[in-house]
Amino acid sequence: MGTIDELRKLELHDQCIEHIEIDFDEEVIRISFSIFVDIGLDDAIIIFEFDGIRRLAITMDLKEFVYLQIYSHELITMPGGEFSLRILMLQGPSEPSADLSFIFKRCRKL
């Protein structure tokens, strides 16, 4: 299974984002996901690196730095070998949602 297929099939609902790193010079975004494994075990950290980034859009109204819990993610294959990723995150009850979306050319799991 390729990295894109793995990301597409990954169950991210109710999982958390631990870290987002944006490198404008390298046109790279690295996202660390905290994935629930099993009761009594520590969550697994999975890191994906996306490169060839363009059309980055971030909508966040964070009152404080908190874990962002993923509500949904959508990965779309686009013409020309590019992909679009949108991640919708929640900050907690009655708090605004956060949205991260971008187009990328390649993805790899670190």
Short mmCIF file of all heavy atoms in Angstrom, two decimals, residues 31-94:
data_model
loop_
_atom_site.label_atom_id
_atom_site.label_comp_id
_atom_site.label_asym_id
_atom_site.label_seq_id
_atom_site.Cartn_x
_atom_site.Cartn_y
_atom_site.Cartn_z
N ILE A 31 3.18 16.97 9.50
CA ILE A 31 2.10 16.88 10.49
C ILE A 31 2.29 15.61 11.30
O ILE A 31 2.42 14.52 10.74
CB ILE A 31 0.71 16.88 9.83
CG1 ILE A 31 0.52 18.13 8.96
CG2 ILE A 31 -0.38 16.78 10.89
CD1 ILE A 31 -0.79 18.15 8.20
N SER A 32 2.30 15.76 12.63
CA SER A 32 2.38 14.62 13.55
C SER A 32 0.99 14.35 14.10
O SER A 32 0.39 15.23 14.73
CB SER A 32 3.32 14.93 14.72
OG SER A 32 4.61 15.23 14.25
N PHE A 33 0.50 13.16 13.85
CA PHE A 33 -0.80 12.73 14.34
C PHE A 33 -0.61 11.81 15.53
O PHE A 33 0.26 10.94 15.52
CB PHE A 33 -1.57 11.95 13.26
CG PHE A 33 -1.85 12.74 12.02
CD1 PHE A 33 -1.07 12.58 10.88
CD2 PHE A 33 -2.92 13.61 11.95
CE1 PHE A 33 -1.32 13.29 9.72
CE2 PHE A 33 -3.19 14.33 10.81
CZ PHE A 33 -2.39 14.16 9.69
N SER A 34 -1.42 11.99 16.56
CA SER A 34 -1.43 11.09 17.71
C SER A 34 -2.60 10.13 17.50
O SER A 34 -3.76 10.54 17.49
CB SER A 34 -1.62 11.90 18.99
OG SER A 34 -1.72 11.05 20.09
N ILE A 35 -2.27 8.85 17.32
CA ILE A 35 -3.28 7.85 16.97
C ILE A 35 -3.50 6.91 18.15
O ILE A 35 -2.55 6.30 18.66
CB ILE A 35 -2.83 7.03 15.73
CG1 ILE A 35 -2.48 7.96 14.57
CG2 ILE A 35 -3.88 6.01 15.33
CD1 ILE A 35 -3.63 8.78 14.06
N PHE A 36 -4.75 6.77 18.57
CA PHE A 36 -5.10 5.85 19.66
C PHE A 36 -4.80 4.42 19.22
O PHE A 36 -5.21 3.99 18.15
CB PHE A 36 -6.58 6.00 20.02
CG PHE A 36 -7.04 5.03 21.05
CD1 PHE A 36 -6.72 5.22 22.38
CD2 PHE A 36 -7.79 3.92 20.69
CE1 PHE A 36 -7.15 4.32 23.34
CE2 PHE A 36 -8.21 3.02 21.65
CZ PHE A 36 -7.89 3.21 22.97
N VAL A 37 -4.09 3.68 20.07
CA VAL A 37 -3.73 2.30 19.75
C VAL A 37 -4.63 1.33 20.49
O VAL A 37 -5.35 0.55 19.90
CB VAL A 37 -2.24 2.03 20.07
CG1 VAL A 37 -1.88 0.59 19.76
CG2 VAL A 37 -1.35 2.97 19.30
N ASP A 38 -4.58 1.38 21.82
CA ASP A 38 -5.36 0.46 22.63
C ASP A 38 -5.37 0.98 24.07
O ASP A 38 -4.44 1.67 24.49
CB ASP A 38 -4.74 -0.94 22.58
CG ASP A 38 -5.71 -2.04 23.00
OD1 ASP A 38 -6.86 -1.73 23.35
OD2 ASP A 38 -5.31 -3.22 22.96
N ILE A 39 -6.39 0.61 24.82
CA ILE A 39 -6.48 1.02 26.22
C ILE A 39 -5.25 0.50 26.96
O ILE A 39 -4.86 -0.65 26.81
CB ILE A 39 -7.78 0.49 26.86
CG1 ILE A 39 -8.99 1.14 26.19
CG2 ILE A 39 -7.79 0.74 28.37
CD1 ILE A 39 -10.31 0.61 26.64
N GLY A 40 -4.62 1.37 27.74
CA GLY A 40 -3.45 0.99 28.50
C GLY A 40 -2.14 1.20 27.77
O GLY A 40 -1.07 1.06 28.35
N LEU A 41 -2.20 1.51 26.50
CA LEU A 41 -0.99 1.77 25.72
C LEU A 41 -0.92 3.25 25.37
O LEU A 41 -1.94 3.92 25.24
CB LEU A 41 -1.00 0.96 24.42
CG LEU A 41 -0.99 -0.56 24.55
CD1 LEU A 41 -1.10 -1.20 23.18
CD2 LEU A 41 0.28 -1.04 25.25
N ASP A 42 0.30 3.76 25.22
CA ASP A 42 0.47 5.13 24.77
C ASP A 42 0.01 5.25 23.33
O ASP A 42 0.10 4.29 22.55
CB ASP A 42 1.94 5.55 24.85
CG ASP A 42 2.41 5.71 26.29
OD1 ASP A 42 1.56 5.95 27.17
OD2 ASP A 42 3.63 5.60 26.52
N ASP A 43 -0.48 6.43 22.97
CA ASP A 43 -0.87 6.67 21.59
C ASP A 43 0.36 6.61 20.69
O ASP A 43 1.46 6.97 21.10
CB ASP A 43 -1.53 8.04 21.43
CG ASP A 43 -2.90 8.11 22.10
OD1 ASP A 43 -3.41 7.05 22.52
OD2 ASP A 43 -3.44 9.20 22.19
N ALA A 44 0.18 6.15 19.46
CA ALA A 44 1.26 6.12 18.49
C ALA A 44 1.34 7.48 17.81
O ALA A 44 0.32 8.11 17.56
CB ALA A 44 1.01 5.02 17.46
N ILE A 45 2.55 7.92 17.52
CA ILE A 45 2.75 9.16 16.79
C ILE A 45 3.12 8.80 15.35
O ILE A 45 4.07 8.05 15.12
CB ILE A 45 3.86 10.03 17.40
CG1 ILE A 45 3.53 10.37 18.86
CG2 ILE A 45 4.09 11.28 16.57
CD1 ILE A 45 2.30 11.25 19.04
N ILE A 46 2.35 9.30 14.41
CA ILE A 46 2.60 9.07 12.99
C ILE A 46 2.88 10.43 12.36
O ILE A 46 2.12 11.38 12.54
CB ILE A 46 1.40 8.40 12.31
CG1 ILE A 46 1.11 7.05 12.96
CG2 ILE A 46 1.64 8.25 10.81
CD1 ILE A 46 -0.15 6.38 12.45
N ILE A 47 3.97 10.51 11.60
CA ILE A 47 4.36 11.77 10.98
C ILE A 47 4.31 11.62 9.47
O ILE A 47 4.90 10.69 8.91
CB ILE A 47 5.78 12.21 11.40
CG1 ILE A 47 5.85 12.31 12.92
CG2 ILE A 47 6.15 13.54 10.74
CD1 ILE A 47 7.27 12.48 13.45
N PHE A 48 3.61 12.54 8.82
CA PHE A 48 3.57 12.59 7.37
C PHE A 48 4.22 13.88 6.92
O PHE A 48 4.01 14.93 7.52
CB PHE A 48 2.12 12.54 6.85
CG PHE A 48 1.50 11.18 6.91
CD1 PHE A 48 0.76 10.79 8.01
CD2 PHE A 48 1.64 10.28 5.86
CE1 PHE A 48 0.17 9.53 8.07
CE2 PHE A 48 1.07 9.03 5.91
CZ PHE A 48 0.33 8.65 7.02
N GLU A 49 5.00 13.78 5.86
CA GLU A 49 5.63 14.96 5.26
C GLU A 49 5.05 15.14 3.86
O GLU A 49 5.06 14.21 3.06
CB GLU A 49 7.14 14.78 5.18
CG GLU A 49 7.84 15.97 4.57
CD GLU A 49 9.34 15.81 4.56
OE1 GLU A 49 9.84 15.12 3.64
OE2 GLU A 49 9.99 16.34 5.47
N PHE A 50 4.57 16.33 3.61
CA PHE A 50 3.96 16.67 2.32
C PHE A 50 4.87 17.68 1.64
O PHE A 50 5.27 18.66 2.27
CB PHE A 50 2.57 17.28 2.53
CG PHE A 50 1.65 16.42 3.34
CD1 PHE A 50 1.60 16.54 4.73
CD2 PHE A 50 0.85 15.47 2.73
CE1 PHE A 50 0.76 15.74 5.49
CE2 PHE A 50 0.00 14.66 3.48
CZ PHE A 50 -0.03 14.79 4.86
N ASP A 51 5.20 17.46 0.37
CA ASP A 51 6.03 18.46 -0.30
C ASP A 51 5.44 18.88 -1.63
O ASP A 51 4.49 18.27 -2.12
CB ASP A 51 7.50 18.01 -0.41
CG ASP A 51 7.72 16.83 -1.32
OD1 ASP A 51 6.77 16.35 -1.94
OD2 ASP A 51 8.87 16.39 -1.41
N GLY A 52 6.01 19.95 -2.18
CA GLY A 52 5.43 20.57 -3.36
C GLY A 52 4.14 21.30 -2.99
O GLY A 52 3.17 21.31 -3.74
N ILE A 53 4.15 21.93 -1.83
CA ILE A 53 2.95 22.58 -1.29
C ILE A 53 2.60 23.83 -2.09
O ILE A 53 3.46 24.61 -2.45
CB ILE A 53 3.17 22.99 0.18
CG1 ILE A 53 3.47 21.77 1.05
CG2 ILE A 53 1.98 23.78 0.73
CD1 ILE A 53 2.34 20.78 1.14
N ARG A 54 1.31 23.99 -2.30
CA ARG A 54 0.78 25.24 -2.83
C ARG A 54 -0.66 25.37 -2.35
O ARG A 54 -1.25 24.42 -1.88
CB ARG A 54 0.90 25.31 -4.36
CG ARG A 54 0.06 24.30 -5.11
CD ARG A 54 0.31 24.43 -6.62
NE ARG A 54 -0.62 23.62 -7.36
CZ ARG A 54 -1.83 24.00 -7.76
NH1 ARG A 54 -2.26 25.22 -7.49
NH2 ARG A 54 -2.61 23.19 -8.44
N ARG A 55 -1.17 26.57 -2.43
CA ARG A 55 -2.54 26.88 -2.01
C ARG A 55 -2.83 26.46 -0.57
O ARG A 55 -3.81 25.79 -0.28
CB ARG A 55 -3.56 26.26 -2.94
CG ARG A 55 -3.58 26.90 -4.29
CD ARG A 55 -4.80 26.47 -5.03
NE ARG A 55 -5.07 27.44 -6.06
CZ ARG A 55 -6.04 27.33 -6.92
NH1 ARG A 55 -6.86 26.30 -6.86
NH2 ARG A 55 -6.23 28.24 -7.82
N LEU A 56 -2.00 26.89 0.33
CA LEU A 56 -2.18 26.62 1.75
C LEU A 56 -3.23 27.56 2.30
O LEU A 56 -3.18 28.77 2.09
CB LEU A 56 -0.84 26.83 2.48
CG LEU A 56 -0.87 26.80 4.00
CD1 LEU A 56 -1.28 25.43 4.51
CD2 LEU A 56 0.49 27.20 4.55
N ALA A 57 -4.20 27.00 3.00
CA ALA A 57 -5.24 27.80 3.65
C ALA A 57 -5.41 27.30 5.09
O ALA A 57 -5.60 26.11 5.32
CB ALA A 57 -6.55 27.70 2.90
N ILE A 58 -5.33 28.23 6.03
CA ILE A 58 -5.48 27.88 7.44
C ILE A 58 -6.52 28.82 8.05
O ILE A 58 -6.40 30.03 7.94
CB ILE A 58 -4.15 28.05 8.20
CG1 ILE A 58 -3.05 27.21 7.57
CG2 ILE A 58 -4.34 27.69 9.67
CD1 ILE A 58 -1.67 27.49 8.14
N THR A 59 -7.51 28.23 8.68
CA THR A 59 -8.51 29.02 9.40
C THR A 59 -8.52 28.51 10.84
O THR A 59 -8.96 27.38 11.09
CB THR A 59 -9.90 28.84 8.77
OG1 THR A 59 -9.83 29.16 7.40
CG2 THR A 59 -10.92 29.71 9.47
N MET A 60 -7.98 29.31 11.75
CA MET A 60 -7.94 28.91 13.15
C MET A 60 -8.18 30.13 14.02
O MET A 60 -7.59 31.17 13.80
CB MET A 60 -6.59 28.30 13.52
CG MET A 60 -6.31 26.99 12.89
SD MET A 60 -4.76 26.31 13.53
CE MET A 60 -4.62 24.86 12.50
N ASP A 61 -9.04 29.98 15.00
CA ASP A 61 -9.28 31.02 15.99
C ASP A 61 -9.03 30.37 17.35
O ASP A 61 -9.95 29.96 18.04
CB ASP A 61 -10.71 31.53 15.88
CG ASP A 61 -11.01 32.64 16.87
OD1 ASP A 61 -10.07 33.15 17.50
OD2 ASP A 61 -12.20 32.99 17.01
N LEU A 62 -7.75 30.22 17.69
CA LEU A 62 -7.38 29.53 18.92
C LEU A 62 -7.32 30.52 20.08
O LEU A 62 -6.59 31.49 20.05
CB LEU A 62 -6.01 28.87 18.76
CG LEU A 62 -5.87 27.84 17.65
CD1 LEU A 62 -4.44 27.34 17.57
CD2 LEU A 62 -6.83 26.68 17.86
N LYS A 63 -8.11 30.27 21.11
CA LYS A 63 -8.07 31.12 22.30
C LYS A 63 -6.86 30.77 23.14
O LYS A 63 -6.34 31.59 23.88
CB LYS A 63 -9.35 30.93 23.11
CG LYS A 63 -10.57 31.47 22.40
CD LYS A 63 -11.80 31.32 23.24
CE LYS A 63 -13.00 31.84 22.48
NZ LYS A 63 -14.23 31.70 23.26
N GLU A 64 -6.44 29.53 23.04
CA GLU A 64 -5.24 29.06 23.73
C GLU A 64 -4.73 27.86 22.95
O GLU A 64 -5.44 27.29 22.13
CB GLU A 64 -5.53 28.67 25.17
CG GLU A 64 -6.58 27.58 25.30
CD GLU A 64 -6.93 27.30 26.75
OE1 GLU A 64 -7.48 28.18 27.41
OE2 GLU A 64 -6.63 26.18 27.20
N PHE A 65 -3.48 27.50 23.19
CA PHE A 65 -2.95 26.32 22.51
C PHE A 65 -3.49 25.08 23.19
O PHE A 65 -3.25 24.85 24.38
CB PHE A 65 -1.42 26.32 22.53
CG PHE A 65 -0.83 27.25 21.50
CD1 PHE A 65 -0.27 28.45 21.88
CD2 PHE A 65 -0.86 26.92 20.15
CE1 PHE A 65 0.27 29.31 20.94
CE2 PHE A 65 -0.34 27.77 19.20
CZ PHE A 65 0.23 28.97 19.59
N VAL A 66 -4.24 24.31 22.45
CA VAL A 66 -4.84 23.08 22.94
C VAL A 66 -4.63 21.99 21.89
O VAL A 66 -4.30 22.28 20.75
CB VAL A 66 -6.36 23.24 23.19
CG1 VAL A 66 -6.61 24.24 24.29
CG2 VAL A 66 -7.09 23.65 21.93
N TYR A 67 -4.85 20.76 22.30
CA TYR A 67 -4.83 19.69 21.31
C TYR A 67 -6.00 19.89 20.37
O TYR A 67 -7.13 20.13 20.81
CB TYR A 67 -4.96 18.32 21.97
CG TYR A 67 -3.70 17.87 22.65
CD1 TYR A 67 -3.65 17.75 24.02
CD2 TYR A 67 -2.56 17.57 21.91
CE1 TYR A 67 -2.49 17.33 24.65
CE2 TYR A 67 -1.40 17.16 22.53
CZ TYR A 67 -1.38 17.03 23.89
OH TYR A 67 -0.23 16.64 24.51
N LEU A 68 -5.72 19.82 19.11
CA LEU A 68 -6.78 19.92 18.12
C LEU A 68 -7.22 18.51 17.77
O LEU A 68 -6.43 17.69 17.31
CB LEU A 68 -6.27 20.63 16.86
CG LEU A 68 -5.95 22.11 17.04
CD1 LEU A 68 -5.26 22.65 15.80
CD2 LEU A 68 -7.20 22.89 17.35
N GLN A 69 -8.49 18.23 18.01
CA GLN A 69 -9.03 16.91 17.73
C GLN A 69 -9.60 16.91 16.32
O GLN A 69 -10.38 17.80 15.96
CB GLN A 69 -10.10 16.56 18.75
CG GLN A 69 -10.53 15.12 18.68
CD GLN A 69 -11.47 14.79 19.82
OE1 GLN A 69 -12.52 15.41 19.93
NE2 GLN A 69 -11.09 13.85 20.65
N ILE A 70 -9.21 15.93 15.55
CA ILE A 70 -9.64 15.87 14.15
C ILE A 70 -11.08 15.39 14.08
O ILE A 70 -11.45 14.38 14.68
CB ILE A 70 -8.73 14.94 13.35
CG1 ILE A 70 -7.30 15.47 13.38
CG2 ILE A 70 -9.22 14.80 11.91
CD1 ILE A 70 -6.27 14.52 12.83
N TYR A 71 -11.87 16.14 13.36
CA TYR A 71 -13.25 15.74 13.10
C TYR A 71 -13.32 14.93 11.81
O TYR A 71 -13.96 13.90 11.75
CB TYR A 71 -14.15 16.98 13.02
CG TYR A 71 -15.58 16.63 12.73
CD1 TYR A 71 -16.39 16.07 13.71
CD2 TYR A 71 -16.13 16.84 11.47
CE1 TYR A 71 -17.70 15.73 13.45
CE2 TYR A 71 -17.44 16.50 11.20
CZ TYR A 71 -18.22 15.95 12.18
OH TYR A 71 -19.51 15.60 11.92
N SER A 72 -12.65 15.43 10.77
CA SER A 72 -12.65 14.71 9.51
C SER A 72 -11.45 15.12 8.67
O SER A 72 -10.84 16.16 8.91
CB SER A 72 -13.94 14.99 8.71
OG SER A 72 -14.00 16.35 8.33
N HIS A 73 -11.12 14.26 7.72
CA HIS A 73 -10.09 14.61 6.73
C HIS A 73 -10.54 14.09 5.38
O HIS A 73 -11.25 13.10 5.28
CB HIS A 73 -8.70 14.08 7.13
CG HIS A 73 -8.47 12.63 6.87
ND1 HIS A 73 -9.12 11.63 7.56
CD2 HIS A 73 -7.66 12.02 5.99
CE1 HIS A 73 -8.71 10.47 7.13
NE2 HIS A 73 -7.82 10.66 6.16
N GLU A 74 -10.15 14.85 4.36
CA GLU A 74 -10.54 14.49 3.00
C GLU A 74 -9.31 14.62 2.11
O GLU A 74 -8.64 15.65 2.09
CB GLU A 74 -11.64 15.44 2.52
CG GLU A 74 -12.09 15.19 1.11
CD GLU A 74 -13.19 16.16 0.69
OE1 GLU A 74 -13.12 17.34 1.05
OE2 GLU A 74 -14.10 15.70 -0.01
N LEU A 75 -9.00 13.55 1.40
CA LEU A 75 -7.86 13.51 0.49
C LEU A 75 -8.39 13.27 -0.91
O LEU A 75 -9.06 12.27 -1.16
CB LEU A 75 -6.90 12.41 0.90
CG LEU A 75 -5.66 12.23 0.06
CD1 LEU A 75 -4.77 13.47 0.12
CD2 LEU A 75 -4.86 11.02 0.53
N ILE A 76 -8.11 14.21 -1.80
CA ILE A 76 -8.64 14.13 -3.17
C ILE A 76 -7.48 14.07 -4.15
O ILE A 76 -6.53 14.85 -4.04
CB ILE A 76 -9.51 15.37 -3.49
CG1 ILE A 76 -10.72 15.41 -2.54
CG2 ILE A 76 -9.95 15.36 -4.95
CD1 ILE A 76 -11.52 16.69 -2.64
N THR A 77 -7.55 13.14 -5.09
CA THR A 77 -6.59 13.08 -6.19
C THR A 77 -7.03 14.06 -7.25
O THR A 77 -8.18 14.05 -7.68
CB THR A 77 -6.53 11.65 -6.78
OG1 THR A 77 -6.18 10.74 -5.73
CG2 THR A 77 -5.51 11.57 -7.89
N MET A 78 -6.09 14.91 -7.65
CA MET A 78 -6.39 15.97 -8.61
C MET A 78 -5.68 15.67 -9.94
O MET A 78 -4.74 14.88 -9.98
CB MET A 78 -5.94 17.31 -8.05
CG MET A 78 -6.62 17.67 -6.75
SD MET A 78 -6.04 19.21 -6.06
CE MET A 78 -6.51 20.35 -7.35
N PRO A 79 -6.10 16.34 -11.01
CA PRO A 79 -5.41 16.18 -12.30
C PRO A 79 -3.95 16.64 -12.18
O PRO A 79 -3.62 17.49 -11.37
CB PRO A 79 -6.18 17.09 -13.24
CG PRO A 79 -7.48 17.38 -12.58
CD PRO A 79 -7.25 17.23 -11.10
N GLY A 80 -3.09 16.07 -12.99
CA GLY A 80 -1.70 16.49 -13.02
C GLY A 80 -0.86 15.87 -11.92
O GLY A 80 0.25 16.34 -11.66
N GLY A 81 -1.36 14.84 -11.24
CA GLY A 81 -0.57 14.16 -10.22
C GLY A 81 -0.50 14.87 -8.89
O GLY A 81 0.37 14.57 -8.07
N GLU A 82 -1.37 15.83 -8.64
CA GLU A 82 -1.39 16.53 -7.36
C GLU A 82 -2.52 15.98 -6.50
O GLU A 82 -3.42 15.28 -6.98
CB GLU A 82 -1.58 18.03 -7.56
CG GLU A 82 -0.39 18.70 -8.21
CD GLU A 82 -0.56 20.20 -8.29
OE1 GLU A 82 -1.65 20.67 -8.67
OE2 GLU A 82 0.41 20.90 -7.98
N PHE A 83 -2.45 16.33 -5.20
CA PHE A 83 -3.46 15.89 -4.24
C PHE A 83 -3.89 17.09 -3.40
O PHE A 83 -3.12 18.02 -3.19
CB PHE A 83 -2.88 14.81 -3.31
CG PHE A 83 -2.36 13.62 -4.04
CD1 PHE A 83 -1.03 13.57 -4.44
CD2 PHE A 83 -3.19 12.56 -4.35
CE1 PHE A 83 -0.54 12.48 -5.11
CE2 PHE A 83 -2.72 11.47 -5.03
CZ PHE A 83 -1.39 11.42 -5.42
N SER A 84 -5.11 17.03 -2.92
CA SER A 84 -5.64 18.06 -2.03
C SER A 84 -5.98 17.39 -0.71
O SER A 84 -6.64 16.35 -0.69
CB SER A 84 -6.89 18.68 -2.65
OG SER A 84 -7.53 19.53 -1.72
N LEU A 85 -5.52 17.99 0.40
CA LEU A 85 -5.83 17.47 1.72
C LEU A 85 -6.52 18.56 2.52
O LEU A 85 -6.05 19.70 2.56
CB LEU A 85 -4.55 17.03 2.45
CG LEU A 85 -4.76 16.49 3.88
CD1 LEU A 85 -5.61 15.22 3.88
CD2 LEU A 85 -3.42 16.23 4.55
N ARG A 86 -7.62 18.21 3.15
CA ARG A 86 -8.34 19.12 4.04
C ARG A 86 -8.56 18.39 5.36
O ARG A 86 -9.05 17.26 5.38
CB ARG A 86 -9.68 19.52 3.45
CG ARG A 86 -10.46 20.45 4.38
CD ARG A 86 -11.74 20.93 3.76
NE ARG A 86 -12.38 21.88 4.65
CZ ARG A 86 -13.63 21.76 5.08
NH1 ARG A 86 -14.39 20.76 4.66
NH2 ARG A 86 -14.15 22.66 5.89
N ILE A 87 -8.16 19.07 6.45
CA ILE A 87 -8.35 18.51 7.78
C ILE A 87 -9.19 19.49 8.59
O ILE A 87 -8.82 20.65 8.77
CB ILE A 87 -7.00 18.29 8.49
CG1 ILE A 87 -6.10 17.36 7.67
CG2 ILE A 87 -7.22 17.73 9.89
CD1 ILE A 87 -4.69 17.25 8.20
N LEU A 88 -10.34 19.03 9.06
CA LEU A 88 -11.22 19.83 9.91
C LEU A 88 -11.01 19.38 11.34
O LEU A 88 -11.09 18.18 11.65
CB LEU A 88 -12.68 19.65 9.50
CG LEU A 88 -13.71 20.44 10.29
CD1 LEU A 88 -13.47 21.94 10.14
CD2 LEU A 88 -15.11 20.08 9.85
N MET A 89 -10.69 20.34 12.23
CA MET A 89 -10.37 20.03 13.62
C MET A 89 -11.29 20.77 14.57
O MET A 89 -11.76 21.86 14.25
CB MET A 89 -8.91 20.41 13.89
CG MET A 89 -7.93 19.67 13.02
SD MET A 89 -6.33 20.51 12.87
CE MET A 89 -6.72 21.82 11.73
N LEU A 90 -11.48 20.20 15.74
CA LEU A 90 -12.30 20.81 16.78
C LEU A 90 -11.44 21.11 18.00
O LEU A 90 -10.52 20.37 18.31
CB LEU A 90 -13.43 19.86 17.17
CG LEU A 90 -14.34 19.40 16.03
CD1 LEU A 90 -15.35 18.38 16.53
CD2 LEU A 90 -15.04 20.57 15.37
N GLN A 91 -11.75 22.21 18.69
CA GLN A 91 -11.01 22.62 19.88
C GLN A 91 -11.73 22.25 21.17
O GLN A 91 -11.17 22.36 22.23
CB GLN A 91 -10.82 24.13 19.91
CG GLN A 91 -10.22 24.72 18.70
CD GLN A 91 -10.02 26.21 18.90
OE1 GLN A 91 -9.32 26.62 19.81
NE2 GLN A 91 -10.63 27.01 18.06
N GLY A 92 -12.97 21.89 21.08
CA GLY A 92 -13.75 21.56 22.27
C GLY A 92 -15.17 22.07 22.10
O GLY A 92 -15.49 22.78 21.15
N PRO A 93 -16.03 21.71 23.06
CA PRO A 93 -17.43 22.13 22.98
C PRO A 93 -17.58 23.65 22.91
O PRO A 93 -16.89 24.39 23.60
CB PRO A 93 -18.04 21.60 24.29
CG PRO A 93 -17.09 20.54 24.75
CD PRO A 93 -15.74 20.92 24.25
N SER A 94 -18.43 24.10 22.04
CA SER A 94 -18.77 25.52 21.86
C SER A 94 -17.60 26.38 21.41
O SER A 94 -17.65 27.60 21.52
CB SER A 94 -19.37 26.10 23.15
OG SER A 94 -20.50 25.37 23.53
#
